[in-house]
Amino acid sequence: MQHNNQLGFRSTLLMGVLVAMGTQLPLSAATTLSATSLRAVKVVRETAATTTASTVWVNVPGATTTLTIPGLTTDLVLAHYTAESVCYGASGWCPVRILLNGVEMDPAAGTDFAFDSSDGGTASLSSWESHAVQRSRAYTNSLTFPVNVTIQVQYMTTVAGMTFRLDDWHLTVQQFH
């Protein structure tokens, strides 16, 4: 019995030390989704640049589309977003997220997903790069009639004094059943 108590104490102590050191412990396991047939594809694209200095989520202008989910159906929605980007002006990063009916698609990482970074504050207005993000979510329509769902891309900066510029972007949304 004393051996089990010592092992439990050591495990608790080790977890406490790891947390104190800033080590992140995994909160969940990987998940798998599947579908058998393509139902729809929507593409939205833009060549005009847009910028934000917002430290809260804002919509990427025009980066939105809708899908129709038939009644009594669960569909898998995949969203791919690519853009030329630059993140500059302070030390931090610039996240992007994709929403399905206002809910962040998976993996839902919030501001923890760096679409681009300022490279420790050394990036400039001319530090253009191409970046991409892909997200997915199963959507269940429990109603007997079709419903429309909205897919929206949002962006922000993580600290004041940064600018996040997106240009020549492409949003592809696929709906599978």
Side-chain angles (χ1 to χ4, degrees):
M1 182 69 150
Q2 185 175 359
H3 176 70
N4 286 345
N5 286 341
Q6 288 177 347
L7 184 58
F9 173 76
R10 289 180 188 156
S11 297
T12 302
L13 180 62
L14 177 60
M15 287 175 52
V17 169
L18 290 173
V19 170
M21 291 173 46
T23 303
Q24 292 185 357
L25 302 175
L27 298 177
S28 63
T31 57
T32 302
L33 301 173
S34 63
T36 56
S37 60
L38 179 63
R39 191 184 298 272
V41 176
K42 297 280 185 95
V43 172
V44 184
R45 52 194 179 221
E46 176 63 72
T47 59
T50 182
T51 62
T52 189
S54 177
T55 55
V56 296
W57 294 108
V58 293
N59 295 338
V60 173
T64 185
T65 191
T66 60
L67 295 172
T68 301
I69 309 291
L72 304 175
T73 301
T74 297
D75 278 359
L76 175 59
V77 178
L78 297 178
H80 316 265
Y81 180 77
T82 63
E84 176 187 273
S85 73
V86 62
C87 178
Y88 64 97
S91 183
W93 65 94
C94 296
V96 166
R97 70 178 181 177
I98 305 175
L99 306 177
L100 174 63
N101 268 8
V103 177
E104 186 173 1
M105 296 178 75
D106 296 311
T111 60
D112 188 47
F113 177 74
F115 188 81
D116 200 351
S117 80
S118 67
D119 199 17
T122 63
S124 70
L125 176 59
S126 60
S127 297
W128 312 292
E129 301 168 329
S130 177
H131 294 280
V133 61
Q134 179 172 310
R135 295 293 187 256
S136 63
R137 181 167 283 272
Y139 186 90
T140 299
N141 178 6
S142 57
L143 303 172
T144 58
F145 52 87
V147 296
N148 289 331
V149 296
T150 302
I151 296 85
Q152 174 70 55
V153 180
Q154 293 186 323
Y155 65 151
M156 64 177 285
T157 65
T158 56
V159 295
M162 292 186 73
T163 300
F164 189 10
R165 179 183 186 268
L166 295 172
D167 192 16
D168 304 326
W169 57 259
H170 195 277
L171 171 64
T172 304
V173 178
Q174 298 171 298
Q175 177 183 357
F176 295 89
H177 181 71

